Amino acid sequence: MNRRHVAAAAITLVCALTILTAPVQAFAAPAPPSPSATQSDTRSGSGSKTPKKSLEAVREEIDALYRKAGAATDAYNLAEERAKKQSGEIVKLARAIVEGQSKIAELKNQAGAQAREQYRTGGLPPGAQLMLSDDPQLFLDGVSRVREGQQAAQGVLGELTRTQQDLETYTQDASTNWEKLEANRLKQAEAKKKINAQIAAAKKLEDQLEEKERARLLKLEQAAEYKLQTAWLSSGALKDINREASASGKKAVAFATEQIGKPYVWGAEGPRSYDCSGLTSQAWAAAGRPIPRTSQEQWRLLPHIAIKDMRPGDLIIYHGDASHVGMYIGDGAIIHSPRPGRNVTLAGAGSMQILGVVRPDK
């Protein structure tokens, strides 16, 4: 193994250990946007003044900002998930490289010992010297020992060659994984900027409101959700939904229920706070069924279920981009972690645009 490979192996090991100690965040999508914004109120006789937005328009703008933040969420989470996996792969490869280097050193010592032995015996292995004897038995012993010595030498050289080739492969794989890791970290950084910008803009709008207006804002949010839930129930959606939860589903629902009241924090997976997919993934992990971390990956990889076949513990995926997720608990309700500034709570299963339903334990 040449110096370039040894240097690459050392760098890879150091970088892998650095990655493991680096803090990584995740984020799950916040609440959806409400229906189209209403027209802003205008002050009578104030033709030259900037019109003042209605509180409903402010609510819709805030929701839209959180939806934009949510659009960057799964890209961030997926990049984080892949980065974790690649960090683990790099560490495994780094360990294999270290083990391979130790093995090569050992094999070289064995080959060197054989070479030194031949030098001490005038270039002939001990068995070859016996072959020169006139004693038939010694001759036969010599033939056998020569053959064994040749096989041993070939075995050492063959193993040395294979180990060097393996080490070359490990180094190349580590380099490839490192490049992917860096690419995913760049994606994370870009998504994080977008997420923080949208959340900051939404928070700024809320902070500009007076206390009474913020209370009214919450009531407007609840009214919009109630309207959608009522329309969903009126469609007969619950008519055939009467199935009981599986044993795993009951455990997942129990876990999610215990988290009610805990704050939404983007990137949080408990135990003190959660984002939307952090809550659902941890609930099913507690039930003994690990699932993907992000709402989009949950939608992409978990089995799809018709709404009429839904049972408690199933996950309802929301919005066309699968940017939000909640856990169905029965009676037309979900538990979910809505968005920044809100807590884990109960909500109507139809209070947001339903994309579909997935079942982690199918």
Side-chain angles (χ1 to χ4, degrees):
M1 178 61 73
N2 59 38
R3 292 183 178 178
R4 179 176 62 83
H5 295 148
V6 173
I11 293 171
T12 301
L13 178 59
V14 172
C15 292
L17 296 176
T18 302
I19 291 299
L20 286 185
T21 60
V24 184
Q25 289 181 307
F27 182 59
S34 53
S36 303
T38 57
Q39 297 295 323
S40 299
D41 294 332
T42 57
R43 299 177 182 176
S44 57
S46 59
S48 61
K49 294 182 179 180
T50 302
K52 182 179 179 180
K53 293 180 180 178
S54 69
L55 191 58
E56 174 64 12
V58 171
R59 180 192 72 80
E60 292 175 351
E61 186 174 351
I62 288 172
D63 281 349
L65 286 167
Y66 282 126
R67 281 296 306 279
K68 288 178 181 178
T73 295
D74 274 1
Y76 182 97
N77 283 335
L78 188 58
E80 183 213 22
E81 207 166 32
R82 288 176 175 172
K84 285 181 179 178
K85 181 179 179 181
Q86 284 150 2
S87 294
E89 288 297 320
I90 288 172
V91 170
K92 289 179 183 177
L93 289 166
R95 288 172 179 164
I97 288 170
V98 171
E99 290 173 1
Q101 289 172 331
S102 298
K103 189 173 182 180
I104 286 175
E106 181 181 347
L107 292 169
K108 284 183 176 179
N109 284 337
Q110 290 181 24
Q114 291 174 349
R116 288 191 295 272
E117 179 64 22
Q118 286 192 6
Y119 177 78
R120 283 196 297 269
T121 57
L124 292 174
Q129 294 178 10
L130 291 175
M131 289 173 64
L132 299 177
S133 171
D134 293 332
D135 188 327
Q137 185 59 48
L138 291 178
F139 175 82
L140 292 175
D141 289 344
V143 171
S144 177
R145 291 179 64 177
V146 167
R147 184 178 295 112
E148 290 174 358
Q150 289 175 338
Q151 290 175 346
Q154 290 174 354
V156 169
L157 292 176
E159 191 172 0
L160 181 59
T161 300
R162 287 192 299 272
T163 303
Q164 288 175 326
Q165 290 172 344
D166 288 344
L167 204 52
E168 176 74 21
T169 300
Y170 295 153
T171 303
Q172 290 175 352
D173 288 348
S175 177
T176 299
N177 274 281
W178 182 257
E179 290 173 2
K180 290 180 180 178
L181 180 64
E182 287 302 298
N184 279 319
R185 288 198 172 276
L186 289 175
K187 290 178 183 177
Q188 281 181 273
E190 183 180 351
K192 185 177 180 180
K193 284 183 181 179
K194 292 179 181 178
I195 291 165
N196 286 334
Q198 301 300 337
I199 290 178
K203 191 174 184 302
K204 183 178 179 181
L205 282 174
E206 288 189 81
D207 290 344
Q208 290 173 348
L209 299 174
E210 296 179 359
E211 186 175 347
K212 290 182 178 180
E213 289 178 316
R214 286 197 289 271
R216 284 180 57 212
L217 180 68
L218 178 58
K219 289 182 178 179
L220 286 174
E221 287 181 5
Q222 294 169 341
E225 292 174 0
Y226 177 78
K227 182 178 179 181
L228 290 172
Q229 174 74 354
T230 301
W232 184 67
L233 294 176
S234 299
S235 70
L238 281 182
K239 183 179 179 181
D240 297 321
I241 303 178
N242 56 5
R243 291 165 179 78
E244 291 188 4
S246 65
S248 297
K250 288 178 181 178
K251 292 179 182 178
V253 169
F255 179 93
T257 302
E258 291 174 358
Q259 313 315 312
I260 291 176
K262 294 183 179 180
Y264 178 107
V265 173
W266 79 273
E269 298 177 85
R272 297 180 180 177
S273 56
Y274 296 89
D275 57 28
C276 74
S277 60
L279 175 64
T280 55
S281 61
Q282 288 302 304
W284 272 100
R289 292 292 187 102
I291 63 174
R293 170 64 175 86
T294 72
S295 56
Q296 286 188 352
E297 289 295 279
Q298 289 169 7
W299 173 245
R300 187 174 72 88
L301 297 175
L302 297 178
H304 290 202
I305 300 296
I307 291 178
K308 65 182 180 63
D309 296 326
M310 192 163 56
R311 70 188 186 193
D314 289 345
L315 305 181
I316 303 181
I317 309 297
Y318 293 97
H319 314 309
D321 58 359
S323 58
H324 191 70
V325 59
M327 178 178 290
Y328 185 67
I329 60 170
D331 297 324
I334 61 166
I335 292 176
H336 74 143
S337 188
R339 66 167 177 82
R342 301 289 183 260
N343 298 330
V344 176
T345 187
L346 292 171
S351 61
M352 294 168 280
Q353 177 196 356
I354 295 177
L355 176 61
V357 180
V358 295
R359 178 166 295 166
D361 61 341
K362 183 176 178 180

